[in-house]
């Protein structure tokens, strides 16, 4: 199993550009989520999904869109990049959103917006 | 509502000494509690979890954590620290009372530095 994979590893964008961060998992997990990690802020949830076709907003959803057309993939779209979106982005998955299941994290995407 | 606090931004310990990384939580019902570790430039890795049962939980790399319901704490411990344990540690909680949202809440993280 590859686990949770994320592409790209690094990205530099100019203000106003759009892009998609890719996330895929091969563990047949129902639950997938996107976090951003900023110094001193810990992990903040952007969006999550409890299954194909079902998504919902997390703590900091503004400026981001998601979709979940398959169990495996959960891309995160930045609509119009802003310097405030400079961060490290992590995708995570777990077997179920319920119960005691731990999350598996991808290696992260480091995004810089200039 | 659920919340978790890691009161120390940084913990320093000498190699070979015992280490403790603190975590306290607040939930409406009973908690599911987790510890994760993040090494530099890597994603988070699961260390251990408390669901029910024995208050002392053992996990990966020799770490353990003690669930204390009266003090609403779930401190991470290791009897003898290694330099390679230096990393960022996150505590997370999920309220078993869920209420329709199953999302765990993460603490802000504690940087553990083990000195040779």
């Amino acid at each position: 199993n590859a686990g949770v994979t994320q592409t790209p590893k690094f990205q530099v964008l100019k203000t106003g550009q759009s892009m998609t961060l890719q996330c895929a998992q091969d563990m047949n997990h129902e639950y997938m989520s996107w976090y951003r990690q900023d110094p001193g802020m810990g992990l903040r949830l952007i969006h999550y999904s409890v299954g194909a076709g079902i998504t919902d907003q997390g703590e900091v959803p503004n400026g981001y869109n998601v979709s979940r057309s398959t169990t495996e993939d959960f891309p995160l779209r930045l609509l119009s990049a802003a310097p405030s979106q400079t961060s490290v982005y992590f995708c995570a998955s777990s077997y179920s959103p319920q119960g005691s299941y731990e999350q598996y994290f991808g290696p992260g995407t480091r995004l810089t917006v200039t | 509502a659920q919340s978790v606090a890691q009161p120390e931004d940084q913990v320093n310990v000498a190699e070979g000494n015992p280490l403790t990384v603190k975590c306290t939580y607040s939930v409406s019902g009973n908690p599911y509690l987790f510890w994760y570790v993040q090494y530099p430039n890597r994603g988070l890795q699961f260390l251990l979890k408390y669901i029910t049962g024995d208050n002392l939980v053992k996990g990966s790399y020799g770490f353990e954590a003690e669930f204390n319901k009266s003090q609403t704490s779930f401190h991470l411990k290791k009897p003898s620290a290694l330099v390679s344990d230096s990393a960022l540690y996150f505590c997370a909680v999920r309220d078993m009372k869920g209420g329709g949202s199953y999302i765990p809440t993460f603490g802000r993280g504690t940087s553990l530095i083990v000195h040779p």
Side-chain angles (χ1 to χ4, degrees):
Chain A
N1 285 352
V4 180
T5 58
Q6 290 183 240
T7 55
K9 284 186 170 28
F10 301 95
Q11 183 70 48
V12 179
L13 289 178
K14 294 187 188 306
T15 297
Q17 288 184 316
S18 63
M19 78 159 295
T20 299
L21 279 62
Q22 301 291 344
C23 174
Q25 51 91 10
D26 61 358
M27 297 173 282
N28 202 31
H29 284 172
E30 287 184 27
Y31 178 69
M32 296 185 74
S33 55
W34 276 103
Y35 294 89
R36 58 178 289 173
Q37 183 179 27
D38 303 291
M41 303 292 290
L43 289 176
R44 293 185 290 171
L45 183 68
I46 305 171
H47 285 285
Y48 66 97
S49 168
V50 298
I54 306 169
T55 63
D56 206 345
Q57 297 180 353
E59 181 185 356
V60 288
N62 291 343
Y64 308 94
N65 270 356
V66 292
S67 60
R68 183 102 178 265
S69 56
T70 67
T71 299
E72 294 78 19
D73 300 300
F74 190 45
L76 178 73
R77 296 184 190 84
L78 277 69
L79 308 173
S80 178
S84 61
Q85 294 179 303
T86 293
S87 187
V88 182
Y89 292 85
F90 290 100
C91 179
S93 74
S94 67
Y95 178 72
S96 169
Q98 302 185 38
S100 60
Y101 299 102
E102 63 271 20
Q103 294 187 75
Y104 294 78
F105 285 80
T109 295
R110 187 173 296 272
L111 175 69
T112 302
V113 183
T114 61
Chain B
Q2 62 189 28
S3 65
V4 62
Q6 294 181 242
E8 301 154 318
D9 290 336
Q10 186 171 302
V11 170
N12 291 278
V13 65
E15 188 172 33
N17 283 1
L19 69 87
T20 299
V21 182
K22 295 180 181 176
C23 171
T24 58
Y25 67 90
S26 174
V27 293
S28 303
N30 290 317
Y32 292 137
L33 292 155
F34 306 84
W35 275 103
Y36 293 84
V37 60
Q38 184 182 30
Y39 298 103
N41 300 312
R42 304 285 293 274
L44 278 69
Q45 297 176 34
F46 168 73
L47 269 181
L48 51 80
K49 64 184 176 185
Y50 171 81
I51 306 306
T52 187
D54 195 347
N55 289 344
L56 186 63
V57 178
K58 293 188 185 299
S60 307
Y61 311 122
F63 283 93
E64 58 190 28
E66 186 168 12
F67 171 65
N68 187 318
K69 187 169 184 177
S70 62
Q71 297 186 7
T72 61
S73 67
F74 189 56
H75 301 332
L76 182 70
K77 301 184 180 190
K78 188 173 182 182
S80 178
L82 299 172
V83 172
S84 57
D85 293 329
S86 298
L88 192 55
Y89 290 81
F90 289 93
C91 182
V93 66
R94 193 174 79 69
D95 193 338
M96 286 168 61
K97 240 181 168 181
S101 168
Y102 306 104
I103 307 162
T105 298
F106 283 80
R108 294 192 169 189
T110 298
S111 177
L112 173 67
I113 299 174
V114 181
H115 302 277

